[in-house]
């Protein structure tokens, strides 16, 4: 491949560890040989149970509150994702976690890696999502680069790949970009590395820089790229969590380590939080204002995450004892909660995810409840298949739900 630039394609796709020898910890840590180190064997993680309810109109158009079996909830399945059937699961199987060392890989801004004239599968959001990428175009012969810019330099020494195509979206940064970050602490603690830098696209938003630093990485060891660079020794790690697929024990240490680096001890914050989604234009809860008023009457502080810096968000979630809000990335900071006894998630029937269950399972003593609302038939017919449609909750029935949920809780 020419040192001056990149061809636009076509590029096949391969996983970082494809064709790589498996090395033991001694050989991987002591040398610079390309290969893969298996760090954590595949296994099963028990998930927190979910109590589910639905609010929807009956045939006469009257809103009804019903208990729903967790196993019957309509889980949204991304295109290409294997069908695991409906409902929340009591446990999830996760793959082994590994670190692969590559020589002479090229990293492009926007979350792309090229090695041995192939695109790495780790450039995509998930293994089943290697069918689209916002910085690639699909041609008759596999993938082509949208912007095959010249290679802008060389990075010497080991560098950990932490990047993602959706770096401007908080949820993807937290659950995609950062989830291979467990390998940073592991590399320094167990592989004898004196220094390990991390590589990421230069972000538009400051929260990305703060979250990467919260992994414990000194600012001077973060390589922010705005052009393709060649890496002498690139480390590519398995994600500790995969959206809609699995969560691992390594994710627990990851989130808790980040929280402990940001949150001061014995921080004083409101004990009850309602996390609003009003600043997000998609998946609008039509009764949002009335629902927020309902929770405010019950002593909840209304939080709009987009209006707070990331440190404040993490402190609020870490200290709260009761957390409620509409599902989505605005609730993903529950990964950092440390004292919550109960979490209540309000969700559209078109986009029920495992994410909140995965993130709550870090603290088995936390009770997770979900209330599923409804979408008008006219909206479904106007935009079939649109998962971000406006949705509804009956306010009077939500008052009943909230009263029952708070019973016996401080």
């Amino acid at each position: 491949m020419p040192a001056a630039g990149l061809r636009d394609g076509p590029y096949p796709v391969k996983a970082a560890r494809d064709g790589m020898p498996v090395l033991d910890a001694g050989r991987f840590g002591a040398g610079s040989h390309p290969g893969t180190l298996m760090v954590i064997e595949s296994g099963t993680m028990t998930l927190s149970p979910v109590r589910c309810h639905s609010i929807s109109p009956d045939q006469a158009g009257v809103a009804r509150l019903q208990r729903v079996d967790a196993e019957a909830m309509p889980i949204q399945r991304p295109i290409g994702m294997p069908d695991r059937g409906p409902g929340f699961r009591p446990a999830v199987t996760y793959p082994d976690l590994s670190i692969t060392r590559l020589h002479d890989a090229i990293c492009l801004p926007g979350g792309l890696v090229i090695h041995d004239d192939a695109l790495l599968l780790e450039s995509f959001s998930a293994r089943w999502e290697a069918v689209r990428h916002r910085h690639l175009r699909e041609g008759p012969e596999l993938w082509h680069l949208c912007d095959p810019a010249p290679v802008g330099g060389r990075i010497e020494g080991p560098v950990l790949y932490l990047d993602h195509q959706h770096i401007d979206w908080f949820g993807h940064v937290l659950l995609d970009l950062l989830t291979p970050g467990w390998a940073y602490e592991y590399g320094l603690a167990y592989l004898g590395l004196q220094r390990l830098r991390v590589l990421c696209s230069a972000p538009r938003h400051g929260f990305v820089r703060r979250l990467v630093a919260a992994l414990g990485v000194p600012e001077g060891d973060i390589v922010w790229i705005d052009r393709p660079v060649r890496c002498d020794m690139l480390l590519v790690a398995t994600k500790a969590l995969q959206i809609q697929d699995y969560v691992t024990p390594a994710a627990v240490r990851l989130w808790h380590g980040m929280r402990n680096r940001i949150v001061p001890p014995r921080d004083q914050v409101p004990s009850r939080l309602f996390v609003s989604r009003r600043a997000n234009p998609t998946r609008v809860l039509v009764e949002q204002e009335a629902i927020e008023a309902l929770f405010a009457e019950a002593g909840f502080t209304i939080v709009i995450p987009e209006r707070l810096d990331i440190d404040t968000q993490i402190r609020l979630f870490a200290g709260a004892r009761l957390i409620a809000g509409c599902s989505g990335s605005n609730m993903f900071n529950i990964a950092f909660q440390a004292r919550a006894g109960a979490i209540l998630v309000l969700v559209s029937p078109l986009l029920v995810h495992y994410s909140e269950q995965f993130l709550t399972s870090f603290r088995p003593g936390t009770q997770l409840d979900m209330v599923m609302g409804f979408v008008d038939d006219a909206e479904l017919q106007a935009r079939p298949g649109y998962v971000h449609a406006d949705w509804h909750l009956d306010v009077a029935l939500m008052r009943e739900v909230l009263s029952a949920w708070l019973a016996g809780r401080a």
Side-chain angles (χ1 to χ4, degrees):
M1 186 176 296
L6 294 168
R7 61 184 180 83
D8 74 335
Y11 291 100
V13 177
K14 70 167 188 175
R17 58 197 273 185
D18 284 355
M20 288 290 172
V22 176
L23 306 177
D24 60 30
R27 190 176 179 204
F28 192 97
S32 61
H33 306 284
T36 295
L37 171 66
M38 301 297 180
V39 178
I40 298 177
E41 294 182 355
S42 60
T44 300
M45 184 165 174
T46 301
L47 301 177
S48 294
V50 189
R51 291 191 308 204
C52 302
H53 296 81
S54 74
I55 293 176
S56 60
D58 59 18
Q59 292 183 346
V62 178
R64 302 293 186 187
L65 172 64
Q66 295 181 320
R67 182 71 182 268
V68 179
D69 289 337
E71 296 80 7
M73 288 287 280
I75 304 297
Q76 188 262 346
R77 183 163 64 97
I79 295 173
M81 176 183 168
D83 188 358
R84 296 184 176 87
F88 291 102
R89 294 176 285 168
V92 65
T93 300
Y94 56 84
D96 56 61
L97 299 191
S98 66
I99 304 173
T100 298
R101 180 164 48 216
L102 305 173
H103 287 174
D104 206 32
I106 295 178
C107 295
L108 293 79
L112 291 168
V113 186
I114 295 174
H115 180 254
D116 278 351
D117 214 25
L119 277 164
L120 292 195
L121 181 61
E122 287 80 1
S123 301
F124 297 86
S125 296
R127 62 184 182 275
W128 62 78
E129 286 196 354
V131 293
R132 59 186 178 275
H133 195 291
R134 63 193 298 255
H135 297 292
L136 295 173
R137 59 182 176 84
E138 191 172 11
E141 300 178 81
L142 304 176
W143 292 105
H144 294 255
L145 303 179
C146 293
D147 183 20
V151 177
R154 179 180 291 272
I155 300 175
E156 298 180 354
V159 59
L160 176 65
Y161 175 72
L162 286 184
D163 207 352
H164 193 263
Q165 59 173 314
H166 298 305
I167 194 172
D168 296 330
W169 286 264
F170 174 77
H172 285 290
V173 171
L174 198 64
L175 301 191
D176 281 315
L177 185 150
L178 291 171
T179 48
W182 63 270
Y184 177 77
E185 184 180 16
Y186 183 88
L188 293 178
Y190 298 106
L191 296 182
L193 299 175
Q194 299 302 309
R195 184 189 187 195
L196 176 59
R197 289 183 288 176
V198 302
L199 179 145
C200 185
S201 295
R204 293 170 49 198
H205 304 297
F207 75 81
V208 182
R209 296 176 182 271
R210 184 63 174 127
L211 287 173
V212 173
L215 294 172
V217 187
E219 179 63 31
D221 286 347
I222 305 174
V223 181
W224 304 106
I225 63 170
D226 60 4
R227 67 196 67 189
V229 295
R230 192 180 298 273
C231 300
D232 288 344
M233 188 185 301
L234 184 70
L235 303 184
V236 180
T238 312
K239 289 180 178 181
L241 178 151
Q242 175 62 62
I243 294 175
Q244 288 297 81
D245 195 2
Y246 65 83
V247 62
T248 71
V252 179
R253 184 179 181 92
L254 180 74
W255 306 134
H256 289 185
M258 294 175 65
R259 179 194 67 208
N260 294 340
R261 294 182 187 98
I262 289 178
V263 177
R266 296 179 297 278
D267 199 21
Q268 298 299 311
V269 298
S271 64
R272 296 184 175 191
L273 295 183
F274 182 88
V275 188
S276 174
R277 209 180 143 77
R278 68 165 65 184
N280 194 313
T282 63
R283 209 158 66 253
V284 173
L285 171 59
V286 176
E287 296 79 18
Q288 178 80 40
E289 185 175 343
I291 295 296
E292 287 184 16
L294 190 66
F295 278 84
E297 290 173 10
F300 283 74
T301 296
I302 309 302
V303 173
I304 302 175
E306 292 87 347
R307 299 179 183 175
L308 302 173
D309 63 72
I310 190 63
D311 285 37
T312 300
Q313 292 181 49
I314 292 176
R315 285 202 304 271
L316 288 171
F317 276 80
R321 296 189 180 277
L322 296 176
I323 302 172
C326 296
S327 67
S329 59
N330 52 299
M331 286 289 282
F332 287 177
N333 278 322
I334 59 176
F336 302 116
Q337 58 99 354
R339 301 195 300 169
I343 294 173
L344 177 62
V345 180
L346 315 178
V347 60
S348 162
L350 302 181
L351 204 68
V352 182
H353 271 198
Y354 297 126
S355 297
E356 289 88 2
Q357 186 190 28
F358 285 176
L359 297 174
T360 306
S361 297
F362 298 168
R363 292 190 74 243
T366 301
Q367 174 61 51
L368 177 61
D369 287 80
M370 284 199 176
V371 180
M372 183 172 61
F374 61 95
V375 178
D376 287 337
D377 290 340
E379 179 71 26
L380 292 173
Q381 294 170 6
R383 306 182 74 174
Y386 182 59
V387 298
H388 296 296
D390 292 359
W391 60 290
H392 300 266
L393 284 169
D394 182 89
V395 179
L397 292 179
M398 268 306 305
R399 186 180 293 276
E400 292 183 25
V401 170
L402 179 56
S403 177
W405 186 63
L406 290 176
R409 293 195 169 100

